[in-house]
Amino acid sequence: MTTEPVDTFIRDRLPPADQQPEFLFDLPEFDYPERLNAAVELIDKGDPNALAVLNDSGSWTYRQMSDWSDRIARLLAEDEALVPGNRVLLRGPNCATMFAAWLGILKAGGVVVATMPILRAGEIRTIIDRAEVSHAIVDSRYLDDYRSAAGSAAKTPKLVTYDGDSGGELEDRLRRVAPGFKAVETHRDDVALVAFTSGTTGRAKGCVQFHRDVLIPADGFARHILQPQPGDRWACSAPIAFTFGLGMLLIFPWRFGGTAVTVEQPGPRALLEAVEKYRVTTLATAPTAYKVMTGIVDEHDISTLRTCVSAGEHLPVATWHAWHEATGHRLIDGIGATEMMHIFISASGDAIRPGSTGKAVPGYRTAVLDEDNAFRPSGSGRLAVKGPTGCRYFDDERQRDYVVAGWNITGDTFRIDDDGYCWFVARSDDMIISSGYNVAAPEVENALLLHPSVVECAVVGVPCPERGQKVKAFVILAGSITGDAVLAKALQDQVKAAIAPYKYPREIEFVAELPKTLTGKLQRFALRHKASS
C-alpha cells in the first residue's frame, strides 16, 4: 500500500489492475525497501566529494548537488506550496540546474513532468492540461513557448525560472532558503515521473513510473550490461525528458558513483569534443549520430572511451561495423520504450551479435505475438515483453492496446531466434522513427493542412541513410496552385512553426491524388512503396 499524498490525481487515474502488465521482481537487485525516495538514493548516498556533474559552466560534487536539491525541495514545499503528488513541469536543456531541480522535486514528494526543449507551445499546453501541472521550473531561454502554452492552459502553473547554470531567479531565491531538507518518505510505488511519449498530440500518452522504476534500469540494464565503475564519466545526446537520456545521463552515473557530463547542443561533433575535453568513458546516442561521428572521429582523442551505447532507433549493421572499424569499440545496441522506462533488450562484449538488438536484459522476458495471437518464445511477430517495469498510461483507453494478457506489446515486429537473440524487422504501426525521435504522421499532416494551399496530404517514413527514416509528405494543392521549391519551403516552415521542428517533412512531393481503399481509407503502404521504388 502506498502513502497517501495530498494530491492523488495521477494515482487515481492509473489503469485497473487487470489492465496492467504482469510485473516480475525475480532478481534480488529489485527487492527495494517499502520506503524509497529515488532522489535520496541517487544523490545523498554517494561519496560527497566525488564529482557529480561537469560541463562548460563548471563542476559540482555530490555534496553540492545534494544541498542544492534540498534547498529546491524546501523552496517548493514551503514557498511555493507544493504538496506530495503535485506535478512539476521541467523545461530546458540538460544542465546542472535542471538536474538539481529534478532531484528537488522528488525529494519534496512531487512528480516530475520533463519536456523536450524542442517542443512548441501547443504540445506543451497539451502536457500541462493532461497532467494538470501545478508548478513549472523553466530555463529563461525557453520561456516564450512555455508562456504561450501556460497562458492558454486550463490552469496556469506556478512558475520559477533559472538561467541555465549561470544563475537567475531560482539561484537568487535559494540564497534566502535554509539548507537541509528532510525528504518525503515516499513509498517505492508512489509516482515519481510522468513521461509523455514523443510524437504525441491531442490526448498525449502519459507513462507513469514509480520511485522504484527509476532505479530498476540502473540495477538491471546498467549493472549487468554496461558494468559501470565509480568515477566513470557519462555523456548522452538525449534530453532527460527521454527516459533513455534520463537513465544514461542522470540515473546511471549517480547510481554508480560516476559523473554526468552535460552538453547543451549535443550534435555529433559536440559529443566528440566533450569526450575529448572531459575524458568521457561512457557515450550514448542514436545510430544516426554514430554514423556521422564515424567520419570525423579521427579528429578527436577518444582514448578514454570504454562503453558506447546505441538506442532510440534500429541500429543498421553497417553502422555497427563502421564504428567498430573506426574506433575498435563494439556498439552496445538496445531497445527500450518510454512505457518500459528504459532498455529491456541488449547485449555487450562477446555476447554481441552484429545486426541483432540482443537478448532480454536480466529481469525481463521476451516473446512474439504471432498471426494466430499466440505468444511464442521464438519466431516472428509483434514483440512482447514483461519484467520489473511496464506500461501504466494514466487515464488512457490505449492501455488495453499496449498490454495484452500481462505482456507489454511495444509496437515493433521482431524475430527471436532459438538462442533468444532478438532481430528487428519493422515498426508495427505508422510511427516514423527519424534520428531516434518518434514522429506521428497524422500530427505532421495536421500541421501541413493549416496552410491555405493544402487540400489534402499524407505523411510517411521513407528510408534515409543518415536518419534511418525521413519524413516525406505527399501533398494535393488547391485549385490551380502549382507546387514548386518555394512552396515546398513554405510548407516546411509552416510545420516547423506549428510543431517541434524535427518533425518537419524533409521531402515534399506534390501529387494529384492519394491512394485509397474503396472505403476512402488512405493506403500508406502504397506511398511508402512509391517513395522507395
Side-chain angles (χ1 to χ4, degrees):
M1 181 177 180
T2 61
T3 54
E4 286 295 331
V6 175
D7 186 344
T8 61
F9 176 81
I10 297 295
R11 199 178 72 192
D12 291 344
R13 288 160 177 78
L14 289 175
D18 62 357
Q19 292 182 24
Q20 294 193 28
E22 178 185 0
F23 291 95
L24 309 175
F25 302 107
D26 301 335
L27 297 185
E29 292 92 327
F30 305 146
D31 185 18
Y32 301 108
E34 286 194 0
R35 296 298 168 189
L36 181 77
N37 187 299
V40 172
E41 295 297 317
L42 290 173
I43 204 64
D44 292 349
K45 296 188 176 181
D47 177 355
N49 297 314
L51 197 59
V53 184
L54 179 63
N55 60 35
D56 288 346
S57 296
S59 61
W60 295 262
T61 65
Y62 279 74
R63 177 184 287 112
Q64 289 172 314
M65 293 299 293
S66 178
D67 171 69
W68 199 355
S69 58
D70 280 348
R71 287 184 292 126
I72 290 174
R74 185 180 295 278
L75 174 73
L76 289 170
E78 297 180 1
D79 294 358
E80 295 297 326
L82 179 138
V83 298
N86 281 168
R87 278 74 59 209
V88 184
L89 182 139
L90 278 180
R91 178 160 174 75
N94 295 335
C95 68
T97 306
M98 170 173 273
F99 288 11
W102 187 94
L103 292 165
I105 294 166
L106 292 192
K107 285 185 174 183
V111 176
V112 174
V113 182
T115 59
M116 290 188 296
I118 53 179
L119 293 186
R120 293 296 194 237
E123 297 155 319
I124 299 166
R125 182 180 63 249
T126 296
I127 291 172
I128 292 173
D129 286 342
R130 282 281 290 122
E132 292 198 6
V133 169
S134 59
H135 297 72
I137 302 177
V138 180
D139 189 311
S140 59
R141 296 167 295 176
Y142 292 80
L143 274 172
D144 288 346
D145 284 331
Y146 170 78
R147 282 182 170 144
S148 177
S152 58
K155 296 180 181 178
T156 302
K158 297 180 179 180
L159 174 65
V160 178
T161 65
Y162 63 95
D163 298 342
D165 284 337
S166 61
E169 176 206 352
L170 178 60
E171 182 175 294
D172 291 342
R173 293 184 63 182
L174 290 179
R175 291 193 186 102
R176 301 187 293 273
V177 173
F181 181 80
K182 180 175 172 52
V184 174
E185 294 184 354
T186 45
H187 192 281
R188 62 192 177 196
D189 289 339
D190 277 341
V191 178
L193 314 173
V194 176
F196 282 90
T197 56
S198 60
T200 57
T201 187
R203 191 171 173 78
K205 291 184 289 186
C207 304
V208 177
Q209 307 294 350
F210 297 159
H211 277 260
R212 70 164 139 193
D213 299 330
V214 171
L215 302 181
I216 283 171
D219 296 332
F221 165 70
R223 186 181 302 276
H224 291 276
I225 304 298
L226 305 184
Q227 299 178 353
Q229 301 173 10
D232 280 348
R233 294 186 175 186
W234 304 62
C236 179
S237 61
I240 64 168
F242 276 157
T243 52
F244 173 51
L246 180 64
M248 296 300 308
L249 197 53
L250 189 156
I251 298 170
F252 301 168
W254 295 346
R255 186 61 166 169
F256 301 104
T259 305
V261 175
T262 67
V263 183
E264 283 208 0
Q265 301 296 327
R269 186 173 293 276
L271 283 175
L272 287 174
E273 291 172 352
V275 170
E276 179 174 2
K277 182 176 181 179
Y278 295 116
R279 316 306 288 161
V280 169
T281 61
T282 304
L283 176 65
T285 189
T288 49
Y290 282 111
K291 181 179 177 62
V292 174
M293 289 191 295
T294 299
I296 59 175
V297 69
D298 59 357
E299 302 171 17
H300 303 273
D301 177 5
I302 64 164
S303 58
T304 56
L305 264 186
R306 189 182 71 251
T307 304
C308 301
V309 181
S310 173
E313 61 187 352
H314 172 58
L315 172 63
V317 67
T319 301
W320 191 96
H321 284 296
W323 183 254
H324 184 239
E325 291 171 7
T327 68
H329 289 290
R330 298 179 176 185
L331 277 175
I332 298 174
D333 194 12
I335 180 174
T338 307
E339 290 85 353
M340 302 295 295
M341 183 62 191
H342 212 271
I343 290 171
F344 49 81
I345 295 173
S346 187
S348 61
D350 292 339
I352 292 174
R353 295 184 182 178
S356 166
T357 308
K359 302 174 74 171
V361 166
Y364 290 87
R365 301 175 191 171
T366 56
V368 291
L369 184 58
D370 67 14
E371 295 178 351
D372 298 323
N373 288 323
F375 291 94
R376 303 189 184 280
S378 62
S380 296
R382 289 185 290 163
L383 181 64
V385 60
K386 65 173 63 172
T389 61
C391 179
R392 302 183 197 90
Y393 292 139
F394 82 92
D395 194 20
D396 201 310
E397 66 280 356
R398 288 169 290 187
Q399 178 77 16
R400 295 178 181 272
D401 299 325
Y402 203 94
V403 177
V404 177
W407 291 86
N408 299 275
I409 310 299
T410 68
D412 303 279
T413 298
F414 266 77
R415 175 177 62 85
I416 302 179
D417 65 25
D418 291 339
D419 294 328
Y421 278 84
C422 302
W423 303 80
F424 176 79
V425 177
R427 287 290 295 174
S428 303
D429 55 21
D430 290 322
M431 188 69 74
I432 302 164
I433 303 180
S434 182
S435 294
Y437 291 99
N438 288 352
V439 181
E443 185 179 28
V444 183
E445 292 162 0
N446 289 338
L448 284 167
L449 289 169
L450 294 174
H451 196 284
S453 298
V454 177
V455 171
E456 195 174 355
C457 62
V459 168
V460 297
V462 298
C464 173
E466 291 79 24
R467 300 174 180 277
Q469 284 186 304
K470 65 180 176 181
V471 179
K472 177 169 183 176
F474 294 86
V475 176
I476 299 175
L477 297 174
S480 59
I481 297 175
T482 301
D484 55 20
V486 174
L487 181 55
K489 175 65 163 53
L491 294 178
Q492 290 172 327
D493 291 342
Q494 165 85 28
V495 175
K496 291 179 185 179
I499 57 179
Y502 73 86
K503 301 175 184 177
Y504 85 93
R506 306 278 169 168
E507 185 176 346
I508 293 179
E509 181 176 341
F510 297 102
V511 296
E513 60 182 8
L514 296 172
K516 296 179 181 178
T517 65
L518 292 176
T519 58
K521 185 176 180 180
L522 179 68
Q523 295 178 316
R524 292 188 192 273
F525 73 91
L527 292 175
R528 285 192 287 265
H529 178 74
K530 171 181 169 63
S532 59
S533 61

